[in-house]
Amino acid sequence: MKSALLTFSVMLGALLLVNDVTSKVISHRNRRQDEAVSEPERDEAVTAISGVTEAPTSIEQGILSACALHTTDWSPWSGKGENINRKDCGTRRRTRRFKDDSVSAECLEAGVELVEFESYCDVTTRDQTTESFQFYFVDAIFGHTAETNEDSRRRRRGLSFENFFFQANHRPVGSECPEDKSRQNVDFLVMLDKSSSMVAKQFQQLIKSIVFLVKRGLPSVSQSTTRMAMITFANQPHVEFNFNECDTKLCVLKRTRKAVFTGGQTHMAAALTKASEVFEERNGMRSCSRKVILLLTDGSSDRAFPSLKAHALKSEKDVEIFVMAVSALINELQLKAIVSEPVLTHLYYVPTTKQVRKVCKSLKEARARDY
């Protein structure tokens, strides 16, 4: 009789404990359903789920191991893949649930967590960067600029460079520039960092990157389609060639390969000032062209405020600025202020110069897009 009473008392006590835990779980789940829950409340809720403030004992550890068999796998982390071409930092969460509700109360009481949070900072893969750079830069800027049949006939007839340049650079009286920038020919300026933070070998990797970009990405370089110019910079900027100096890809490639590494400080503001001078008609810029800069750098500017110079280029000369940032030494806020909007499609992060070369080597010739 006493034994039966004792057994009944133990069972009653266990039942009351389960009811108490179940009510806590239900109450917690109700709180989780409120989407407006604050950060402190969320942390408090996670603590309420665990119910453990000290290291678990061997018995509790055994319960946790047993409970693990009754939970689903963790869901994928939230927040990943939102930014396709730049650093992505923030807080993400993942969840799991119990396969069998009958064990949920005991497992929650033992400290089994159903929600996890973590801070993260991801950099996209090379393939993701290549895909994005191909779509938002190569295809978007140069997709319509393949040399026309008329251009080819002119070349076969041996039209002189002087006459060809004059016809390409002047429009009939009364004509207007195309309103749609995507249909305009391109004046394309490459700006290349050659400061001391970029050793000679890394500088040569970037030279090879530009070579691959021109050879693989651009449909053509000519005075009637895409014109190219190039600036290298460290303490002072140096114009390697202007828009009116090269009429073929071969010329651009030869002049690009001649660029010499110097070392020195990263005077980005002076380089952007020089870029403003390059974008003048006396240097081959066309009034009815889409004006584009691609800036490759591995650091932040050592002097002045390059964002002010960049703003002048964008507002006064209607220049669209893209940046490919190399290494972890970059000043992210500074580069975001330099590039055109939207930042997402104009700012690219690549960890090393070798990776930049591989990105450009993987490019395909610009393809026309549906606008």
Side-chain angles (χ1 to χ4, degrees), residues 189-192 229-233 237-240 271 274-275 278:
L189 172 63
V190 174
M191 300 180 64
L192 194 56
M230 183 174 176
I231 291 175
T232 56
F233 65 94
H238 175 70
V239 179
E240 302 292 340
K274 179 63 69 173
V278 171

Side-chain angles (χ1 to χ4, degrees), residues 323-339:
V323 171
M324 186 168 282
V326 188
S327 87
L329 302 177
I330 58 172
N331 184 328
E332 188 172 358
L333 292 177
Q334 188 178 84
L335 295 183
K336 286 181 177 179
I338 289 175
V339 299

Side-chain angles (χ1 to χ4, degrees), residues 259-314:
V260 178
F261 175 77
T262 60
Q265 293 184 316
T266 308
H267 200 348
M268 203 178 297
L272 291 168
T273 300
K274 179 63 69 173
S276 182
E277 298 174 7
V278 171
F279 280 104
E280 293 181 359
E281 290 190 2
R282 61 187 175 87
N283 293 317
M285 182 206 75
R286 293 164 289 188
S287 57
C288 289
S289 65
R290 184 174 186 177
K291 300 159 186 65
V292 176
I293 287 177
L294 175 61
L295 168 64
L296 294 95
T297 181
D298 74 332
S300 60
S301 182
D302 295 322
R303 308 179 192 173
F305 298 96
S307 57
L308 298 178
K309 305 298 182 181
H311 177 73
L313 273 167
K314 291 182 286 187

Side-chain angles (χ1 to χ4, degrees), residues 15-184:
L15 181 61
L16 292 174
L17 177 60
V18 169
N19 287 337
D20 182 57
V21 171
T22 302
S23 64
K24 289 181 179 180
V25 173
I26 293 173
S27 175
H28 169 66
R29 286 178 177 173
N30 290 336
R31 291 198 305 273
R32 295 292 299 172
Q33 290 174 357
D34 184 1
E35 294 180 355
V37 65
S38 65
E39 193 78 11
E41 290 173 331
R42 183 193 66 194
D43 295 338
E44 183 180 349
V46 174
T47 303
I49 291 179
S50 67
V52 177
T53 57
E54 299 178 356
T57 64
S58 58
I59 296 177
E60 290 171 333
Q61 189 63 53
I63 295 175
L64 291 174
S65 300
C67 287
L69 300 175
H70 294 279
T71 57
T72 62
D73 294 334
W74 286 107
S75 68
W77 287 107
S78 66
K80 296 197 69 174
E82 295 174 358
N83 294 330
I84 58 177
N85 60 8
R86 59 191 179 94
K87 287 182 181 178
D88 180 18
C89 300
T91 301
R92 58 189 176 192
R93 68 190 289 271
R94 64 177 183 174
T95 61
R96 61 180 177 177
R97 59 182 178 79
F98 291 114
K99 299 176 182 177
D100 184 356
D101 290 338
S102 65
V103 301
S104 60
E106 293 182 14
C107 291
L108 286 171
E109 186 70 19
V112 175
E113 295 187 355
L114 298 180
V115 182
E116 281 189 351
F117 297 90
E118 75 168 9
S119 297
Y120 69 99
C121 195
D122 291 338
V123 177
T124 52
T125 66
R126 189 180 79 226
D127 288 343
Q128 289 173 317
T129 300
T130 301
E131 181 181 357
S132 178
F133 191 67
Q134 175 79 52
F135 186 82
Y136 289 110
F137 181 74
V138 177
D139 292 349
I141 303 299
F142 304 103
H144 69 289
T145 60
E147 194 170 48
T148 64
N149 292 333
E150 178 63 25
D151 294 329
S152 299
R153 285 193 291 271
R154 286 173 180 273
R155 291 180 185 280
R156 288 196 295 270
R157 289 201 304 265
L159 185 65
S160 68
F161 175 79
E162 288 78 16
N163 288 337
F164 184 71
F165 172 77
F166 180 86
Q167 293 183 28
N169 201 43
H170 292 75
R171 301 177 62 85
V173 176
S175 63
E176 296 181 355
C177 298
E179 293 184 4
D180 185 359
K181 280 189 176 183
S182 67
R183 302 300 178 187
Q184 295 174 357

